[in-house]
Amino acid sequence: MRTILLVCSAGMSTSLLVTKMEQAAKDEGVECKIFALPFSDAPRVLEEVDCILLGPQVRFQKAEIEKLAAGRKAGPIPVDVIDMRDYGTMNGEKVFHTALKLLGDE
């Protein structure tokens, strides 16, 4: 099972995207855990996740998250920024596939 973290600023719109991503995973028969946290909480769960996607509103923090993700005890994990259009339209299927590509599962 894969674990995907979405990093956001407050979590309101990102929680809707999580729901849509979970539905996309279910539709495709992929077992995974997807959740969202604000940037300030992300460091405490790094050891539990397989990849991190940042909301466009926190893309300026990508370098900091990448540094944290590279220093993980369990090894580095991939980090990327969610496409602004996919985020704005809440395209859970496309964002889910972005995560799968990052994980090398697609």
Side-chain angles (χ1 to χ4, degrees):
M1 180 167 78
R2 297 295 202 156
T3 303
I4 302 165
L5 170 62
L6 304 187
V7 175
C8 55
S9 56
M12 297 298 189
S13 55
T14 308
S15 62
L16 176 60
L17 184 58
V18 165
T19 301
K20 292 186 176 228
M21 289 175 69
E22 289 172 334
Q23 186 60 52
K26 182 179 177 184
D27 291 347
E28 295 185 29
V30 178
E31 189 177 336
C32 63
K33 177 181 177 184
I34 306 168
F35 64 104
L37 290 174
F39 177 81
S40 59
D41 291 342
R44 70 177 171 82
V45 298
L46 286 178
E47 296 299 326
E48 305 166 22
V49 301
D50 297 308
C51 78
I52 300 172
L53 293 174
L54 284 82
Q57 69 275 30
V58 293
R59 68 181 169 271
F60 65 94
Q61 295 175 309
K62 184 180 181 202
E64 189 173 343
I65 286 284
E66 285 177 324
K67 184 177 176 183
L68 292 169
R72 214 174 66 125
K73 290 177 191 167
I77 51 174
V79 176
D80 204 356
V81 176
I82 299 169
D83 180 83
M84 192 176 300
R85 186 173 323 144
D86 295 337
Y87 189 88
T89 59
M90 292 286 123
N91 190 335
E93 182 180 355
K94 195 150 183 210
V95 176
F96 176 64
H97 283 275
T98 298
L100 291 181
K101 287 176 188 170
L102 267 180
L103 292 165
D105 292 349
E106 187 170 279

